[in-house]
Amino acid sequence: MTRFLAFDTSTDVMSVALTDGVRVWQHTGPGGAKASTTLIPAVMALLAEAGLSLDGLDAIAFGQGPGSFTGLRTACAVAQGLAFGAGLGRSVPVLPIPTLWALAEEARFQLAAQGVAAPRITALLDARMDEMYVQWFDALSDIDPGQPVSGVQMIRPENLVVTPHDVLAGNVFSVYAQRLPDLAGLRCVDALPTATAMLRLAPALAVRGHCVPADQALPLYVRNKVAQTTVERAQVKADKLAAAALADEAVAPV
């Protein structure tokens, strides 16, 4: 299997990529809810540029989640629709790829370009609402997609446990800079789940049997609650103001 289409809309960045097994075409744009109107045109434009058709694909990979609730629904719906609409009286197989796995692969790829090996990566993705998703991956390499060594967890930044040899990757380092534990001495990689990372994972995951029929392709939700109430938002704001006031008192001259 060599011809894959991949896309991820789980974050604020929409990532689309296509390969014929030799060349790669890619596109980026606004993600999350904004991707609902731009994802399909971006896919069709890449197919036209590459001279490929939907019915010639071996599989359609999409960012399964966790991530933006609307973004995940968009990616899943588009993957199913494209797979069913490919023609030939059959649907193209769909390959759901967990977003944190794609994030870990993107970080591994970035480090490999610098000559740095990172067989174990802690993937961290901003979950909003003062929380983040975390998952650990082992044995990632350029010839093996590795495997998760834990399920996805959702934690508050201050509850992250790190060890001296951890390699951390994700989009949380600036967002939660004041709340993460001391990361001094640790290697931290700013990374997102990209479609090109998904293309690198796709062949091995397809061989492992991760492809599913289109009607069985589902998003991976970790949080059932996707928004805070007005009262909860007010409480979060009050807590932040109180914490800031305490911090000011702590540094104020006596």
Side-chain angles (χ1 to χ4, degrees):
M1 301 180 74
T2 59
R3 295 186 174 188
F4 293 94
L5 168 67
F7 44 83
D8 182 90
T9 57
S10 65
T11 71
D12 290 336
V13 178
M14 178 182 74
S15 180
V16 187
L18 175 69
T19 183
D20 61 2
V22 178
R23 296 163 296 173
V24 173
W25 296 263
Q26 58 183 308
H27 169 85
T28 58
K34 295 180 180 178
S36 61
T37 59
T38 58
L39 178 54
I40 291 178
V43 166
M44 302 313 292
L46 282 190
L47 287 167
E49 182 181 350
L52 297 174
S53 60
L54 287 171
D55 59 13
L57 297 175
D58 292 308
I60 298 171
F62 74 98
Q64 180 184 29
S68 160
F69 181 75
T70 303
L72 298 185
R73 292 178 63 185
T74 296
C76 182
V78 170
Q80 290 181 333
L82 293 176
F84 279 127
L88 296 181
R90 67 172 181 88
S91 65
V92 174
V94 175
L95 178 57
I97 297 182
T99 49
L100 288 168
W101 204 335
L103 191 160
E105 164 56 25
E106 177 61 25
R108 180 211 65 79
F109 184 77
Q110 290 184 28
L111 290 171
Q114 304 169 27
V116 178
R120 183 181 177 92
I121 291 177
T122 302
L124 304 165
L125 191 65
D126 185 11
R128 308 293 175 87
M129 297 170 64
D130 293 317
E131 293 176 309
M132 60 187 190
Y133 302 114
V134 57
Q135 191 172 21
W136 290 264
F137 294 86
D138 262 352
L140 286 84
S141 73
D142 59 355
I143 59 174
D144 191 319
Q147 59 187 352
V149 294
S150 73
V152 179
Q153 299 178 24
M154 189 165 60
I155 64 173
R156 293 194 174 275
E158 54 268 22
N159 294 334
L160 176 66
V161 177
V162 297
T163 64
H165 303 293
D166 283 350
V167 174
L168 309 179
N171 65 342
V172 302
F173 306 113
S174 60
V175 178
Y176 298 121
Q178 305 304 315
R179 298 178 56 192
L180 288 165
D182 184 9
L183 303 180
L186 297 181
R187 187 177 293 275
C188 298
V189 181
D190 286 311
L192 289 173
T194 65
T196 49
M198 295 166 64
L199 290 184
R200 293 191 295 271
L201 293 171
L205 294 185
V207 169
R208 290 183 186 180
H210 288 227
C211 289
V212 298
D215 61 352
Q216 295 179 25
L218 298 172
L220 173 61
Y221 298 126
V222 175
R223 173 192 284 142
N224 291 323
K225 182 177 181 181
V226 297
Q228 293 174 317
T229 65
T230 301
V231 172
E232 289 171 333
R233 290 195 297 271
Q235 184 61 54
V236 169
K237 183 176 181 180
D239 290 344
K240 289 181 177 179
L241 290 173
L246 288 173
D248 289 343
E249 289 178 8
V251 299
V254 178

